[in-house]
Amino acid sequence: MREALEGSLAIARAVTLARPDVVAAYPITPQTHIVENISKLVADGDLHTEFVSVESEFSAASVVLGAAAAGARAYTASASQGILLMSEVMFNIAGLRVPLVMTIANRSVGAPLNIWNDQSDTMAVRDAGWIQLHCSTNQEAVDTTIQAFRLAQETELPVAVNMDGFVLTHTMEAIDMPSQEQVDAFLPPFEFAGALDPANPRSLGTLVDPDWFAEVRHSHHAALGKALERIEQIDAEYARITGRAAGGLLAVADAPGAKVGILAMGSVVGTMLAGREDLGAEAGQARIIRLRAFRPFPARALRAAVEGLEKLVVIDRAISPGLGGVLGTEVSAVLSTMERAPKVYNFALGLGGRDIPETRYAEMLALIERPDAPRFAVLDADLEKLPPEDR
Amino acid sequence: MIEFRIHGRGGQGSVAAAYLLAAAAFEAGFECQAFPAFGAERRGAPVMAFVRIDRNPILLRAQVRNPHYMIVQDDTLLQIPGIAAGLRPGGAMLVNSRRPADAFAARFETRVVTLPATDLAVREIGKPIPNTALLAALLALTEALPQEALAAALRGRFHGATLERNLALIETAAGLVEAGAWKEKHDA
């Protein structure tokens, strides 16, 4: 049923529909409303789960690790420094191949202290071995959260659902909440073959020496690769039940005869679509590619999506200082095997919550037509504010 | 699309006002979007919230830079330089104030209506929270949405005595401004 809901409340209700056995979380801006709402749903008797209040994100991640390893459907949520405090446990969760779901309400990482949205937090744990999905609307965040529970248990991998802090978490908009019957038809009860069982004792997390470590890593890499297909299948299955897909690995909003593309993850995609609409058809429109799966990275789907483009702008909401944009660098790498790869221009936008106006769409398209266009830039940084030696 | 910007101070319910306006738009069959521009949140600090209403799905997620309408929940905020920046030509500003509109209109070169919303709220609901009275007055002035949509949004958020008092408050507030004075043809 369509309702006007704040993103965080909608996520709390989506988690409720998934019938988690255990929820453990520590509040941090801008994830707080998700946890508050889950706590309230539990207190009101609308969500029957073991809600564990913990003293830190390290414990939150440890509790859900233990819960899932014991065979429980487990959920947590965090952001920013909370993700960094979890990071050691996040590597363990994935390395132990424990299926669970986490929402990341994306926020910058300090210093300098900043509570606003970018995607530095999730990029800091890029290599933890989780499935990482990105949402551009609250509808996608709701649908992806429910899908994530099934994806986790079918792949035996943890899934992080990224939604932009404030821009999505604190935005009220119309959201079609699936019914409990639909979610029950889509999401079977939690089953985890690797769960610890006193009747059949096993060890989890033992020392792995050089004779086996490479094989474990290879297998983990292969498991993420195999998840590509599952992400698409599960999205299609969800669409069969609810009438609505969330974008598979990536979604293309094409334009007739497009020679230029814009690729991005998260809520900035909507703003780019609005910028394209404003500019009208005469200006020559860009193909807009919304990347939903960041890990596993859908190299083949991406190469197909950029086919025919001469130039591709990749928007990054996080940077790797000393290199450039994280997403832009990865996209360049996977396109390098193409016969005719588009030339990639990588622009970081909206770091630390800098507002991204729709006019950036036209600005970026104009910029890349210039011969001196930078291949990487923090595009909305006002260099006049900096001393000359830092520009 | 109609765009709104709400200015207030922490504790006055500016974000709640934005959510109520969006919920009212949803009740009236529109697409809606409401979100705050948070600073370091604390009582009394200036806060802003944004609302978009459209017939079509709303793709844009930038802050509202060029509102059609502004609600100012505290007239002392009007001393902040540039507070009305970006207000569209032909736009309008609804200010919570005991002073007459003339006290502000000249400085802002736009249409201004004032309403003593805090006094009304204290009288009707017993709390100095001006947001629902201002929303009712805004809807009366613009006729952008029916008053019943706001009442429905209130029913979704409040219950019991708080709801009843707010329903009485919005009826009073709506009657204190000139109905349809800001009515325009929007593409929403």
Side-chain angles (χ1 to χ4, degrees):
Chain A
M1 190 178 80
R2 262 168 70 89
E3 298 172 67
L5 293 173
E6 188 209 23
S8 295
L9 172 59
I11 294 306
R13 286 177 43 181
V15 170
T16 300
L17 289 168
R19 302 184 189 277
D21 300 304
V22 175
V23 175
Y26 188 80
I28 181 169
T29 301
Q31 154 266 35
T32 317
H33 290 187
I34 298 174
V35 182
E36 280 176 0
N37 279 302
I38 288 176
S39 178
K40 187 168 185 302
L41 285 160
V42 171
D44 290 349
D46 296 323
L47 169 57
H48 303 286
T49 192
E50 187 81 24
F51 186 91
V52 187
S53 286
V54 288
E55 89 303 340
S56 74
E57 287 86 357
F58 189 96
S59 295
S62 300
V63 166
V64 291
L65 189 170
R73 177 171 287 157
Y75 171 82
T76 187
S78 195
S80 187
Q81 322 294 122
I83 293 296
L84 266 64
L85 189 53
M86 275 187 184
S87 64
E88 182 184 346
V89 190
M90 285 184 69
F91 277 76
N92 278 319
I93 290 168
L96 297 173
R97 309 279 281 276
V98 171
L100 56 84
V101 173
M102 171 160 69
T103 303
I104 306 182
N106 299 116
R107 165 184 153 183
S108 71
V109 172
L113 178 62
N114 172 290
I115 59 168
W116 292 273
N117 164 241
D118 66 28
Q119 294 168 355
S120 305
D121 49 9
T122 195
M123 289 303 169
V125 289
R126 181 190 68 170
D127 302 328
W130 287 50
I131 292 173
Q132 297 180 33
L133 305 176
H134 283 259
C135 310
S136 73
T137 65
N138 278 319
Q139 183 70 62
E140 286 167 27
V142 162
D143 296 337
T144 300
T145 298
I146 294 164
Q147 292 184 23
F149 283 99
R150 179 155 162 193
L151 187 58
Q153 73 193 60
E154 288 195 9
T155 58
E156 298 191 341
L157 288 166
V159 182
V161 179
N162 289 279
M163 62 190 297
D164 287 320
F166 292 118
V167 182
L168 292 182
T169 56
H170 288 54
T171 290
M172 173 184 275
E173 55 193 352
I175 300 170
D176 196 348
M177 290 303 295
S179 68
Q180 187 67 65
E181 292 68 34
Q182 286 175 319
V183 174
D184 287 344
F186 168 76
L187 180 63
F190 188 69
E191 272 184 39
F192 174 33
L196 296 172
D197 178 3
N200 182 22
R202 293 187 310 126
S203 292
L204 187 66
T206 54
L207 181 74
V208 171
D209 67 20
D211 284 348
W212 276 101
F213 196 86
E215 287 73 20
V216 172
R217 276 289 173 268
H218 176 90
S219 145
H220 192 163
H221 176 57
L224 273 146
K226 275 187 265 178
L228 283 167
E229 205 181 334
R230 297 306 296 142
I231 292 168
E232 288 190 298
Q233 287 165 349
I234 286 171
D235 193 33
E237 174 77 7
Y238 185 85
R240 264 196 297 280
I241 292 172
T242 64
R244 188 178 53 248
L249 299 171
L250 53 81
V252 177
D254 209 354
K259 292 288 165 216
V260 174
I262 296 179
L263 182 145
M265 298 194 299
S267 61
V268 68
V269 171
T271 298
M272 290 300 114
L273 290 167
R276 186 169 86 173
E277 240 176 52
D278 285 358
L279 207 57
E282 310 89 74
Q285 293 192 326
R287 178 185 305 168
I288 295 178
I289 303 166
R290 164 165 73 84
L291 188 64
R292 179 169 179 254
F294 177 68
R295 283 294 181 277
F297 203 72
R300 201 181 333 164
L302 199 55
R303 287 192 283 264
V306 302
E307 199 62 54
L309 296 181
E310 289 165 6
K311 295 178 180 179
L312 178 68
V313 173
V314 180
I315 297 176
D316 251 293
R317 304 294 318 284
I319 65 166
S320 178
L323 175 67
V326 183
L327 181 58
T329 303
E330 296 196 352
V331 169
S332 296
V334 303
L335 299 190
S336 68
T337 60
M338 291 177 75
E339 293 266 318
R340 302 168 72 114
K343 196 169 174 181
V344 172
Y345 296 84
N346 184 198
F347 300 135
L349 283 180
L351 299 181
R354 175 73 53 90
D355 193 47
I356 304 174
E358 68 282 14
T359 47
R360 294 269 179 245
Y361 170 87
E363 275 171 40
M364 292 191 300
L365 293 192
L367 177 60
I368 62 171
E369 293 310 316
R370 283 170 34 184
D372 62 342
R375 299 298 290 274
F376 171 74
V378 180
L379 198 67
D380 46 10
D382 179 1
L383 302 189
E384 298 298 312
K385 290 181 184 170
L386 294 171
E389 63 273 21
D390 287 355
R391 286 177 197 169
Chain B
M1 182 152 69
I2 313 178
E3 295 183 298
F4 303 86
R5 196 166 70 205
I6 301 171
H7 295 262
R9 293 188 179 277
Q12 288 184 317
S14 302
V15 180
Y19 287 169
L20 279 167
L21 183 52
F26 177 78
E27 294 289 343
F30 289 86
E31 296 290 338
C32 64
Q33 183 192 71
F35 60 103
F38 273 116
E41 303 98 330
R42 61 205 186 279
R43 288 208 168 242
V47 295
M48 265 194 299
F50 311 103
V51 181
R52 295 192 167 94
I53 296 175
D54 202 349
R55 287 278 178 215
N56 301 308
I58 299 164
L59 301 166
L60 177 61
R61 295 196 181 269
Q63 297 184 354
V64 170
R65 298 186 304 284
N66 301 115
H68 295 85
Y69 301 108
M70 277 173 58
I71 293 180
V72 181
Q73 299 219 77
D74 185 319
D75 64 8
T76 64
L77 291 170
L78 294 175
Q79 297 165 16
I80 297 173
I83 186 139
L87 183 64
R88 290 182 193 231
M93 193 192 292
L94 175 62
V95 181
N96 173 21
S97 180
R98 290 173 183 159
R99 300 166 70 190
D102 301 352
F104 310 104
R107 266 171 56 212
F108 291 103
E109 295 175 349
T110 188
R111 293 176 294 173
V112 178
V113 167
T114 58
L115 183 78
T118 303
D119 293 341
L120 292 170
V122 167
R123 197 187 316 148
E124 299 272 1
I125 59 176
K127 287 180 188 163
I129 306 212
N131 58 4
T132 54
L134 289 164
L135 287 176
L138 179 78
L139 294 189
L141 287 160
T142 61
E143 294 182 350
L145 303 170
Q147 291 291 335
E148 184 44 42
L150 177 59
L154 286 169
R155 283 188 203 101
R157 196 176 176 95
F158 302 113
H159 55 267
T162 308
L163 172 63
E164 293 310 318
R165 288 173 187 161
N166 270 289
L167 291 174
L169 173 59
I170 64 169
E171 198 177 331
T172 305
L176 293 176
V177 294
E178 187 192 338
W182 293 348
K183 188 176 164 103
E184 269 149 45
K185 257 181 85 76
H186 292 290
D187 54 5

